[in-house]
Amino acid sequence: MISESAAASFCNCDLAPRLASGQSRVCIQQAEQKTTDKQTFWLYLIELDGVVIKRRYSEFESFRSVLVKLYPSIFVPPIPGKHSLSDYAHVNSHSRHKDELAMIEKRKRMLERFLQRILDHPVLSREHVIHQFLQPHILWPDLLAKPPLSTLKSPFAMDSVISSIPGSSYLLPSRSYTLKHPDPAYTQCETLLDRQLYQTGSRWDHAQKKLLRRLGDLANDHADLGAAYNGLSLDESGSLAPSMEQLGFQHDDTCLAIRDLVTQLERDFAEHVQEYVQYIDIAKSSIQYWYMTLAQLEMIGDALINKQTTLHTLIKTEDQAERLQQQQTDLSPSSSTATATTTATATSMSRENDTDDTTQHASYDNDDIDIDTRSIEDGFFAIDAPTSNGSTALDALDNATDSQEQYPPQVTASAIRASRSRSKKWTSPRKLLHAVSYTLHGMMDIDPGLTRRNQIGKLKEEIHQLEMAKAKTQQNIKQIQANIQSELARFEKLKAVELKNMMIAFAKLHLSYCEKNMDHWTKNKKLLDQLPDNSSLISAAQHRNGMS
């Protein structure tokens, strides 16, 4: 896994001292729509110490992705999703334009909290990438296309120390890997987050969404009742008509009050619940990174044990071979000279195997060159040499009989043997087999001792690399564990403060709604109490019917 210590890039730019003081406050109060030839998008205007920075939502996404790659064990604050915000728009959703404006307003608030949480973070606020994102003259897409941001890897990618090991792909664990010896600290953190995720994601978030939907339906029902009472008031006369009309107005006011309540609950309560659920998911992702690093450490440890076992076996075999050779030397003193000579020759041949093979191959290559570039007649100088009468041995060979005079009489025996040997080597299939033979000869294990010593050297080098990778991974795990535990403690403190503010806001909003609603219905009751009793109303109605 990638180390965070190498990813951190603290700086001393002009913006760093102001942000380090903790006094800077970011604000997103405006958003403007831009239209190009291909698309329409929104720009969010970030205000920081009197400076305005314009960023698109997609730039916020890529910015957060960069922070996650740089600090995989730190809980990078969440941003609103592309479509999740529309889940909270239950009121005034009569047109797409109103839905879009409501979504933009929510994004402004959540993106503002995202930036402010980063500036308040003790580690993230010192990152130079954040300072660059908050510079108005820097084009963020151009910055992403240049190193080092363009070369950032996934947090789950293999570390450079491990990737330098030959065939190191087996050291990259899969997500389905099961830890053989789980870390108790990891198990405790995972259990805590699983419980919180169940409570928030499965129950709390679901319940508050259902509440907002039902409040929106209730507001629509009051609007329908208000319209019905207003219609009935048109068919009545006398004192009943204005009372029914006032009752319809009261239902309309109740509808507006409920919609205002839903809007405020979305802003002061539902958005924070959504962010809380996102924080739990972010923490789970960091826990997963911790898990994968622990799994990689186990795989490195297993590989190291296997390599060490193999090395021990090879060294033991090498020692036994040396003892047997020494014993053979001691038991044969009379032939010590011959044995030493033979051993030295074998050792020299083993150590200079490549040189000998090269020399042999060069020799045979010369033969092949002779065969390929000269005809069979040119190859046999002794046979081709002219005789005293002007004819060649080859002419005599052609005129000789097959039984007794196969070669001319003046040809020597050595020339005849060379002719026969070269004639056999000349055939094309034999040359092919000859080349294959020497190729296989170079690949065969002709000296087990030399091969064993080479394997010992390679194993020692791989073990050294694995030990370095193990030490690096152990160091990373300590840093990851410290970061995650620190982030969990910080998250618990922030959660306690935000949950308190959320509960207070929820209670105040309901209290204000109930007080306003109670006041309206109290006034409406006083108007209804001023109406005549039912008997007088019935007699008046009967009198109207009799006159008609």
Side-chain angles (χ1 to χ4, degrees):
M1 303 299 151
I2 294 179
S3 172
E4 295 181 42
S5 59
S9 57
F10 299 150
C11 72
N12 294 318
C13 64
D14 297 337
L15 194 58
R18 288 185 289 163
L19 298 182
S21 62
Q23 303 299 325
S24 299
R25 287 293 175 264
V26 68
C27 179
I28 303 179
Q29 293 185 349
Q30 298 180 6
E32 58 183 30
Q33 192 175 25
K34 293 291 183 180
T35 302
T36 61
D37 297 336
K38 297 182 179 180
Q39 59 181 343
T40 300
F41 55 90
W42 287 84
L43 287 175
Y44 298 90
L45 278 60
I46 308 169
E47 298 181 14
L48 178 64
D49 298 336
V51 180
V52 178
I53 308 100
K54 297 181 180 181
R55 298 296 183 199
R56 296 180 57 178
Y57 173 79
S58 59
E59 294 177 339
F60 277 94
E61 277 190 314
S62 59
F63 170 58
R64 187 184 180 278
S65 177
V66 167
L67 293 180
V68 170
K69 291 178 181 179
L70 291 174
Y71 303 95
S73 63
I74 288 181
F75 301 169
V76 180
I79 61 173
K82 285 187 176 180
H83 305 290
S84 60
L85 286 176
S86 60
D87 297 338
Y88 294 89
H90 308 297
V91 182
N92 295 330
S93 56
H94 302 296
S95 65
R96 179 179 179 181
H97 179 68
K98 290 184 178 180
D99 284 346
E100 186 178 13
L101 291 179
M103 183 184 67
I104 294 301
E105 290 298 321
K106 291 180 175 66
R107 279 186 176 175
K108 283 164 53 179
R109 294 190 295 268
M110 298 181 75
L111 291 175
E112 178 180 323
R113 287 194 293 269
F114 163 71
L115 291 176
Q116 191 60 53
R117 286 166 177 162
I118 289 179
L119 297 183
D120 294 338
H121 197 280
V123 177
L124 297 180
S125 61
R126 301 165 58 192
E127 171 60 46
H128 184 54
V129 174
I130 298 174
H131 306 160
Q132 293 175 310
F133 185 78
L134 296 176
Q135 296 287 348
H137 62 277
I138 293 180
L139 298 178
W140 182 251
D142 294 344
L143 187 65
L144 283 179
K146 299 177 182 178
L149 298 188
S150 62
T151 58
L152 286 178
K153 297 181 180 180
S154 169
F156 299 98
M158 188 173 295
D159 189 87
S160 58
V161 176
I162 302 177
S163 60
S164 62
I165 302 175
S168 58
S169 58
Y170 70 95
L171 296 177
L172 186 63
S174 63
R175 295 182 182 271
S176 60
Y177 181 87
T178 303
L179 288 177
K180 302 175 183 177
H181 307 286
D183 190 341
Y186 162 79
T187 305
Q188 181 181 1
C189 292
E190 184 184 31
T191 303
L192 174 64
L193 290 177
D194 287 340
R195 184 170 62 253
Q196 291 187 358
L197 184 61
Y198 170 74
Q199 294 293 339
T200 57
S202 301
R203 303 184 64 180
W204 191 20
D205 188 45
H206 176 71
Q208 64 89 16
K209 286 182 179 180
K210 184 168 63 175
L211 173 63
L212 293 180
R213 284 194 296 267
R214 291 185 176 181
L215 286 176
D217 294 339
L218 180 61
N220 294 331
D221 292 340
H222 277 285
D224 294 339
L225 278 175
Y229 279 116
N230 290 332
L232 290 174
S233 66
L234 298 177
D235 297 333
E236 298 295 334
S237 60
S239 60
L240 185 60
S243 298
M244 295 186 69
E245 184 180 12
Q246 186 62 33
L247 183 60
F249 290 157
Q250 183 56 46
H251 278 289
D252 291 338
D253 291 340
T254 303
C255 170
L256 296 177
I258 294 177
R259 287 178 176 176
D260 184 60
L261 173 64
V262 172
T263 301
Q264 294 178 354
L265 285 176
E266 289 178 349
R267 181 188 61 200
D268 299 333
F269 184 77
E271 291 176 7
H272 296 275
V273 175
Q274 181 187 5
E275 290 175 341
Y276 181 72
V277 175
Q278 288 178 312
Y279 254 117
I280 299 297
D281 290 333
I282 292 169
K284 288 286 293 181
S285 178
S286 297
I287 289 290
Q288 180 68 22
Y289 174 67
W290 187 4
Y291 178 89
M292 297 294 287
T293 311
L294 289 172
Q296 189 174 68
L297 180 62
E298 282 192 354
M299 297 180 71
I300 292 175
D302 294 341
L304 187 59
I305 291 175
N306 292 335
K307 298 291 184 181
Q308 290 174 342
T309 302
T310 305
L311 178 62
H312 177 73
T313 302
L314 289 176
I315 292 178
K316 185 177 180 181
T317 304
E318 181 68 16
D319 293 341
Q320 292 177 350
E322 291 180 356
R323 286 197 300 270
L324 288 175
Q325 184 177 3
Q326 185 64 33
Q327 290 177 1
Q328 183 179 5
T329 304
D330 296 341
L331 291 176
S332 305
S334 60
S335 60
S336 59
T337 303
T339 303
T341 303
T342 303
T343 304
T345 303
T347 304
S348 176
M349 291 179 62
S350 300
R351 292 179 178 176
E352 299 175 359
N353 185 41
D354 295 337
T355 305
D356 294 338
D357 289 343
T358 303
T359 305
Q360 292 176 5
H361 291 165
S363 175
Y364 287 113
D365 290 343
N366 291 334
D367 292 342
D368 292 340
I369 292 174
D370 292 338
I371 295 174
D372 290 338
T373 58
R374 296 161 52 190
S375 65
I376 187 66
E377 293 85 3
D378 295 336
F380 304 146
F381 177 78
I383 303 176
D384 230 3
T387 58
S388 58
N389 57 4
S391 63
T392 62
L394 184 61
D395 297 334
L397 177 62
D398 293 336
N399 298 326
T401 60
D402 294 337
S403 58
Q404 298 295 330
E405 297 180 356
Q406 185 175 1
Y407 289 95
Q410 66 270 25
V411 177
T412 62
S414 60
I416 294 176
R417 285 194 299 269
S419 173
R420 291 175 179 175
S421 176
R422 286 181 173 271
S423 297
K424 292 180 181 179
K425 289 183 179 181
W426 170 249
T427 56
S428 179
R430 187 173 183 84
K431 288 194 298 181
L432 177 62
L433 293 176
H434 178 73
V436 172
S437 173
Y438 277 94
T439 301
L440 295 177
H441 178 75
M443 298 172 60
M444 291 174 57
D445 184 11
I446 59 175
D447 190 347
L450 179 61
T451 302
R452 185 168 54 248
R453 287 189 291 272
N454 291 337
Q455 290 178 347
I456 290 175
K458 292 180 180 179
L459 281 174
K460 288 182 178 180
E461 183 179 357
E462 292 181 6
I463 289 174
H464 175 68
Q465 292 176 336
L466 286 173
E467 289 175 345
M468 291 179 58
K470 183 178 180 180
K472 182 71 175 298
T473 307
Q474 289 175 338
Q475 181 181 0
N476 290 345
I477 288 177
K478 290 181 180 179
Q479 183 180 1
I480 292 170
Q481 179 177 347
N483 288 345
I484 290 179
Q485 291 178 344
S486 175
E487 288 294 298
L488 285 174
R490 187 172 180 274
F491 174 67
E492 290 295 328
K493 293 180 181 179
L494 293 177
K495 182 185 72 173
V497 174
E498 292 195 0
L499 285 179
K500 180 181 177 180
N501 294 334
M502 290 166 58
M503 296 299 105
I504 293 175
F506 189 86
K508 286 183 176 181
L509 291 174
H510 275 277
L511 181 61
S512 175
Y513 161 75
C514 292
E515 289 177 347
K516 186 185 300 183
N517 204 32
M518 184 68 176
D519 183 60
H520 289 169
W521 283 103
T522 301
K523 293 179 180 179
N524 190 68
K525 182 178 180 300
K526 291 180 180 180
L527 293 175
L528 293 176
D529 290 340
Q530 296 176 2
L531 292 175
D533 56 7
N534 294 337
S535 59
S536 60
L537 292 176
I538 293 173
S539 60
Q542 290 176 350
H543 178 70
R544 290 195 302 270
N545 292 333
M547 292 180 64
S548 62

